Amino acid sequence: MEEASHDMIKNKLDALRQRMIESEKVTGEISQVIAQLRHVEGVTVFTAVAANKTFLEDAFKKSGDVIFFEFATFSGVKVLLVYIEGLVNKEIVGRDIINAFIMKSKELPANTLLDSKFLKTLITAAGVIETQTISAVIDDILNGNTVLFVDGVATAFLIESKGWETRAVAEPDTESVIRGPREGFIENIRTNTSLLRRKIKNPNLVFENISLGKQTKTNVAIAYIDGIVNQAVLGEVRRRINKIDTDSILETGYIEQFIEDSPFSPLATIANTQKPDILAAKLLEGRVGIFCDGTPHVLTVPHLLVETLQTSEDYYMRPFIALGWRIIRLSALFFSIFVPGLYVALQTYHQEMIPTILLLRMAGSISDIPFPAGAEMLIMVIFYELLRESGVRLPRAVGSAISIIGALIVGESAVNAGLVSAPVVIVTAVTGVAGFIVPALSEAIMFYRFFFLIAGSVMGLYGVVCGLFFIVLHAVSLRSFGVPYTSSLAPSDQGVLMDFFLRFPLWAMKKRPPAIAKDNQQRRGDNE
């Protein structure tokens, strides 16, 4: 009997050992299946809470910021919450999800059928969506929401609970105004869309949500007003954005480079703004806006040359005041681009065009300068760009100090040392100040300034005229999503007089720009 019982125990141990080996094989197979399922779209939610937890832990690589919170109701039903710490509002999670679910389930009678529609009523948080796919669960968790699983139910509940820290709405530093709204967009896309909603209280204002970036899955929204938008432009925007296939989209600058018409042109064919009132005005003319989560800059298309000479304040002040400011901007644009090249061309090749007294003073100031006029001006322009870039990149206090040192000390020392002449310093200063008046063209101004400087140094006024012909030809040939860049100047229409060089009263501008709003150009009725 002792031998028989010994053999029995041995057989049982062998059987147990075999089962353990089989269990390890099954566990390995399950892990392989889970690893394969992670890359398959349309995987459904599991009925068991433990299976959902195991799958999501593997999907998120057991990351420390992904929280798996398990609790049970009074009737013993297991519940699992999954969210990312730092992206959710914990007050909503504790009060409107956990506490509400437990307290409401306490009042349930025994043997209550737990289906998805009934369980949804136990959650008091706003914005609860049911889903049966794991991919939707993962996307919602990454977007800052909370996902709830109930044991025995093959449905996940996606609960709106976003609550990360955001910057307060404030006036943009790059678009400061004297008169007009001071609020600006921030890095939260939903805050930005709500700011635009406050400006345009119209159900025809549409936001089309898109996710871009295979790794970042950035939220992007296309904004337009149905019935006003240029449908051809809208269709082209959709087509170009849907063709974007990249790992990451971190800012609207990424999107701009993928969808712009002429990537190698110094003139931008896509505009950007940080102010809701500017965006609202452009959408009301038939344009399309492109929001991107994580940046306060919103793109607008199509972008025309006339927009670079306009500001939002032009429409908040009296027309003749706006006319004066536009004349100043046009003059500043001319000075900033052409003056260095014209100065070098006149001093080098066309001295007869300079008044005699001024020519004598200039000759006296450059008599001891070791460089020709072209090289002298090129050195000063490069030095100015270095100072400007350093002032932008450094902290404000240090940046302003660098600007003062560069303008007062370095410039004066260079003149006293005989490296550059005083007229060159004056021309460089006037050029730099004028460039700040048209910030929308700052990049193009820098490029064209060097272009005309070299042209004037090599061929004099003939080179400047040839260069002017070249850039005009280039600007006229540009298109922004099918719309001529120089509209309404070329091709010309009555908008040139209404809102280009002049700014007519708002009551006189009854139609939207015809180059943009093709279908609905009527902006104002005939009633006086």
Side-chain angles (χ1 to χ4, degrees), residues 216-258:
T216 59
K217 298 186 185 301
T218 307
N219 295 324
V220 176
I222 301 174
Y224 60 90
I225 300 177
D226 190 29
I228 297 179
V229 66
N230 187 330
Q231 291 295 331
V233 172
L234 178 60
E236 186 66 15
V237 170
R238 289 170 176 161
R239 185 187 69 82
R240 296 186 189 185
I241 288 183
N242 289 327
K243 287 180 63 177
I244 296 177
D245 184 12
T246 184
D247 280 349
S248 62
I249 296 292
L250 302 178
E251 214 268 347
T252 49
Y254 283 51
I255 302 175
E256 180 178 357
Q257 295 178 55
F258 278 105

Side-chain angles (χ1 to χ4, degrees), residues 190 192-193 196-197 199-210 220-239 241-242 279-291 298-302 512 516-517 519-520:
R190 284 299 151 233
N192 295 341
T193 56
L196 182 60
R197 280 284 183 191
K199 299 293 181 183
I200 305 176
K201 301 178 179 67
N202 188 337
N204 291 326
L205 176 60
V206 180
F207 295 99
E208 295 184 4
N209 296 322
I210 303 172
V220 176
I222 301 174
Y224 60 90
I225 300 177
D226 190 29
I228 297 179
V229 66
N230 187 330
Q231 291 295 331
V233 172
L234 178 60
E236 186 66 15
V237 170
R238 289 170 176 161
R239 185 187 69 82
I241 288 183
N242 289 327
L279 179 61
K282 292 187 176 183
L283 296 188
L284 289 167
E285 288 186 344
R287 291 181 175 85
V288 178
I290 303 173
F291 291 83
V298 179
L299 303 180
T300 59
V301 293
R512 299 182 178 90
I516 300 174
D519 304 324
N520 185 0

